[in-house]
């Protein structure tokens, strides 16, 4: 059955206006997590409760309604009193006040905690005769009953709701600390989720994560936040992404420059690069005057010692081995890719990620920009199987043939050895030379003759969290 995105019960135990209710309705329509919580809850007034939880953290000055409300809202009032009296409530509101996203993140996490708590209380009380309520969200389930039967069902629903409320209010009264612990856990998890969201989608700018996050559509932020809150792998990826992004902030300010290479002779007046013969003229009493004239005009002979820039600030093609032996590094690798993306986004560069084993999965990020669905898809993708370098490099060449990637450099990461035919290797090297492409490779805990054969620079590391791996951020 298709989940409804409409909030039917907009009653409130807080003083909320029409604008705030519309705001929450918009959040609810975007959030699959909130919709799932509503549909899974045994609390008939869950819709209005979720709205009140959100409003209590979003509003500047949340206040309880003092007048008498419908009896079925008594449990909502009790829960909201517990939330707003929590010792961390005001401190936490410094993060959520007038912040639609953070208030929504807490509401979803708190909603999950409430459902868990409610299920536990119902299970504990069933032996005493409480069987739960047979209707949800304030609407009785009826089909072809007569009008009198419908009234009877609704009367029974109201009675069951009152009984349920009394049982839950008693549970909170008897053990308020247990319920308060759930609220505190929700606050901590919400803050961690927000920090993880900044790590995944906030870019590299120091202190600018929240500002960058504001540029992301709310629907996408909610989608990622829900994934972080419910998926341990996504949480771990976010932690690695935050770690690597902080390193990338420092490394991306400089470009890796290899040691100077002597590449012939040119004219100039760089004293450090002068040919020995020119220095001999300077020391000769007769030739010294001629030397000074040539030096002043930049006509002295010197070595052409241009430094080789391995990465040209162009697009990036990142080939990552996802064979079975790389599974332990998969979460770390995806955090590393997100850090690379933050650099690409900051520098307005295209990035293509090729996950490979004996097949290839491609992800393309224009100007370093990543959608929520792309992030989730990449996080959930793991190929497994064997390793095929030729297949990965063939796909890399196909990417380089596209106009937007014609000036790209290739980053290649693997942990194993794989044969590459001489014919293919020569063809790859020729194409690489034609396009002036540089290949930088990371070898994870191994050596590889094949990788050395097609790479311009090879670094051996045990995982991504090493100085050798960090050099890729200098692109």
């Amino acid at each position: 059955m298709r989940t409804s995105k409409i909030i039917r019960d907009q009653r409130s135990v807080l003083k909320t206006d029409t604008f705030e209710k519309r705001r929450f309705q918009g959040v609810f329509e975007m959030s699959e997590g909130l919709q799932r919580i509503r549909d899974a809850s045994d609390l008939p007034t869950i819709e209005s409760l979720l709205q009140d939880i959100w409003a209590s953290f979003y509003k500047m000055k949340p206040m309880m309604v003092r007048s008498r409300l419908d009896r079925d809202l008594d449990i909502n009032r009790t829960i909201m009193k517990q939330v707003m009296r929590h010792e961390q409530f005001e401190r936490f509101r410094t993060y959520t006040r007038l912040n639609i996203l953070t208030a929504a993140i807490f509401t979803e996490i708190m909603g999950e905690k409430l459902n868990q708590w409610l299920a536990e209380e119902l299970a504990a009380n069933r032996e005493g005769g409480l069987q739960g309520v047979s209707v949800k969200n304030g609407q009785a389930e009826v089909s072809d009953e007569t009008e009198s039967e419908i009234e009877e069902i609704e009367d029974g629903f109201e009675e069951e709701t009152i009984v349920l409320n009394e049982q839950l209010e008693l549970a909170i009264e008897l053990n308020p600390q247990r319920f308060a612990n759930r609220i505190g856990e929700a606050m901590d998890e919400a803050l961690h989720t927000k920090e993880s969201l900044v790590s995944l989608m906030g870019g590299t700018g120091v202190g600018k994560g929240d500002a960058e996050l504001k540029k992301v559509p709310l629907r996408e932020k909610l989608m990622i936040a829900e994934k972080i809150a419910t998926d341990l792998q996504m949480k771990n990826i976010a932690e690695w992404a935050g770690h690597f992004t902080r390193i990338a902030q420092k490394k991306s300010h400089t470009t890796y420059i290899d040691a100077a290479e002597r590449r012939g002779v040119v004219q100039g007046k760089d004293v450090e690069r002068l040919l020995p013969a020119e220095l001999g003229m300077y020391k000769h009493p007769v030739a010294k005057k001629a030397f000074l004239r040539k030096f002043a005009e930049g006509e002295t002979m010197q070595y052409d010692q241009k430094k080789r820039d391995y990465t040209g600030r162009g697009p990036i093609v990142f080939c990552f081995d996802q064979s079975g032996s790389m599974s332990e590094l998969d979460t770390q690798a995806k955090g590393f890719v997100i850090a690379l993306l933050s650099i690409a986004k900051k520098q307005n560069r295209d990035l293509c990620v090729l996950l490979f084993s004996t097949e290839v999965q491609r992800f393309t990020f224009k100007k370093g920009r990543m959608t929520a669905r792309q992030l989730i898809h990449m996080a959930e993708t793991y190929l497994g199987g064997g390793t095929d370098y030729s297949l990965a490099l063939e796909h890399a060449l196909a990417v380089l043939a596209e106009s937007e990637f014609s000036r790209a450099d290739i980053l290649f990461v693997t942990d194993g050895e794989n044969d590459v035919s001489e014919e293919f290797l020569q063809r790859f090297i020729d194409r690489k030379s034609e396009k002036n492409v540089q290949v930088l490779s990371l070898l994870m805990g191994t050596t590889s003759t094949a990788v050395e054969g097609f790479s311009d620079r090879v670094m051996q590391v045990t995982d991504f969290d090493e100085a050798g791996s960090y050099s890729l951020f200098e692109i």
Side-chain angles (χ1 to χ4, degrees):
M1 184 178 70
R2 187 174 181 179
T3 300
S4 171
K5 297 183 179 182
I6 303 299
I7 296 178
R8 296 180 290 266
D9 186 0
Q10 290 196 329
R11 294 175 300 166
S12 178
V13 301
L14 298 183
K15 294 180 179 179
T16 53
D17 56 31
T18 304
F19 171 77
E20 290 158 350
K21 291 179 179 180
R22 283 204 308 266
R23 271 290 174 91
F24 181 70
Q25 174 66 60
V27 170
F28 188 85
E29 290 176 1
M30 296 180 195
S31 174
E32 293 182 3
L34 289 174
Q35 293 165 28
R36 284 195 300 270
I37 290 167
R38 185 269 311 273
D39 294 342
S41 182
D42 288 308
L43 187 66
T45 55
I46 186 65
E47 282 186 343
S48 60
L49 179 58
L50 291 173
Q51 177 180 265
D52 282 342
I53 292 172
W54 179 84
S56 70
F57 286 94
Y58 176 76
K59 289 172 66 68
M60 285 296 295
K61 294 182 179 181
M63 298 177 64
M64 302 286 291
V65 174
R66 295 183 180 276
S67 59
R68 182 65 187 170
L69 299 170
D70 296 335
R71 286 194 65 187
D72 62 339
L73 290 177
D74 287 349
I75 183 60
N76 288 22
R77 184 190 292 273
T78 301
I79 290 173
M80 289 311 304
K81 283 181 179 178
Q82 291 294 317
V83 170
M84 295 172 67
R85 289 173 181 172
H86 193 276
E87 59 183 2
Q88 298 296 326
F89 178 71
E90 287 301 331
R91 181 189 68 84
F92 188 72
R93 271 177 36 81
T94 61
Y95 303 101
T96 64
R97 192 182 297 117
L98 299 182
N99 189 314
I100 297 175
L101 173 65
T102 313
I105 291 173
F106 175 79
T107 302
E108 181 175 342
I109 295 174
M110 188 64 216
E112 291 283 4
K113 299 287 185 186
L114 278 171
N115 276 356
Q116 294 168 9
W117 173 80
L118 179 59
E120 292 167 4
E121 292 301 324
L122 290 176
N125 283 284
R126 280 198 177 97
E127 293 182 1
L130 179 63
Q131 298 297 320
V133 183
S134 60
V135 290
K136 295 182 180 181
N137 308 321
Q139 292 201 0
E141 296 176 355
V142 296
S143 52
D144 298 326
E145 290 84 353
T146 64
E147 185 174 340
S148 60
E149 290 173 330
I150 291 174
E151 289 179 0
E152 184 178 342
I153 290 173
E154 290 178 342
D155 290 341
F157 163 72
E158 185 175 351
E159 291 176 5
E160 287 187 338
T161 301
I162 292 170
V163 172
L164 174 63
N165 287 350
E166 291 174 348
Q167 292 284 345
L168 297 180
E169 287 176 347
L170 180 61
I172 293 174
E173 182 180 342
L174 292 176
N175 196 346
Q177 189 57 48
R178 180 166 174 262
F179 191 77
N181 289 343
R182 294 294 178 95
I183 299 172
E185 290 169 5
M187 290 179 181
D188 290 340
E189 290 180 26
L191 282 180
H192 183 73
T193 298
K194 175 64 182 302
E195 291 169 359
S196 297
L197 187 61
V198 172
S199 296
L200 290 173
M201 308 194 80
T204 60
V206 179
K208 297 180 180 178
D210 284 313
E212 286 295 312
L213 198 61
K214 288 180 180 178
K215 300 176 184 178
V216 180
L218 179 59
R219 187 183 300 274
E220 296 202 0
K221 289 184 285 193
L222 288 171
M223 188 184 301
I224 296 298
E226 289 165 8
K227 190 69 175 176
I228 294 169
T230 58
D231 190 311
L232 179 60
Q233 184 191 24
M234 186 65 86
K235 290 179 183 177
N236 292 335
I237 290 173
E239 288 180 4
W240 280 115
H243 172 69
F244 288 134
T245 299
R246 287 188 291 274
I247 295 169
Q249 290 171 359
K250 301 175 182 178
K251 291 288 185 179
S252 63
H253 293 302
T254 57
T255 304
Y256 175 80
I257 304 295
D258 196 7
E261 300 175 359
R262 293 178 177 179
R263 298 182 178 181
V265 177
V266 295
Q267 290 184 334
K269 54 179 182 179
D270 188 337
V271 175
E272 295 179 354
R273 292 161 51 195
L274 289 174
L275 267 60
E278 297 285 7
L279 293 174
M281 289 181 64
Y282 174 73
K283 293 180 179 180
H284 195 283
V286 176
K288 184 175 182 178
K289 186 179 290 186
F291 167 81
L292 292 174
R293 178 188 57 78
K294 289 171 57 182
F295 184 80
E297 296 175 358
E299 295 178 353
T300 45
M301 304 304 293
Q302 63 185 40
Y303 290 112
D304 181 8
Q305 206 171 28
K306 294 180 179 178
K307 294 182 179 180
R308 189 174 189 183
D309 188 347
Y310 271 91
T311 49
R313 299 277 177 177
I316 306 164
V317 179
F318 184 80
C319 301
F320 176 65
D321 182 355
Q322 273 203 334
S323 59
S325 59
M326 289 286 283
S327 61
E328 292 184 2
L329 292 175
D330 185 60
T331 299
Q332 204 182 70
K334 286 165 180 172
F336 194 88
V337 169
I338 291 168
L340 278 176
L341 268 170
S342 68
I343 296 172
K345 182 179 179 181
K346 182 179 180 181
Q347 299 174 354
N348 210 33
R349 300 161 69 184
D350 294 331
L351 174 64
C352 177
V353 176
L354 297 177
L355 306 179
F356 72 92
S357 57
T358 51
E359 58 180 305
V360 175
Q361 179 76 56
R362 174 177 174 173
F363 296 88
T364 302
F365 305 98
K366 297 292 185 180
K367 307 304 179 186
R369 287 164 174 76
M370 170 179 56
T371 67
R373 294 191 185 280
Q374 281 181 311
L375 174 57
I376 292 172
H377 186 193
M378 185 174 69
E380 293 177 343
T381 298
Y382 188 76
L383 302 178
T387 307
D388 191 336
Y389 290 168
S390 298
L391 180 64
L393 294 173
E394 193 71 70
H395 276 75
L397 289 176
V399 174
L400 294 174
E402 300 171 12
S403 58
E404 59 267 38
F405 284 97
S406 60
R407 295 178 53 252
D409 290 308
I410 298 174
L411 308 180
F412 194 91
V413 181
T414 184
D415 74 335
E417 180 67 62
N418 182 247
D419 293 331
V420 177
S421 69
E422 290 292 332
E423 180 183 355
F424 176 82
L425 182 60
Q426 189 58 53
R427 181 163 64 87
F428 179 81
I429 292 173
D430 291 343
R431 291 283 300 280
K432 184 167 73 78
S433 178
E434 289 172 10
K435 290 183 170 293
N436 194 29
V437 171
Q438 301 295 320
V439 178
L440 281 68
S441 295
L442 283 185
L443 282 175
M444 298 290 181
T446 186
T447 60
S448 173
T449 304
V451 172
E452 293 172 355
F454 59 73
S455 302
D456 295 278
R457 183 182 175 213
V458 178
M459 292 153 287
Q460 290 184 321
V461 295
T462 56
D463 60 26
F464 286 94
D465 197 19
E466 288 189 16
S469 302
Y470 302 159
S471 63
L472 296 190
F473 293 136
E474 298 172 4
I475 61 176

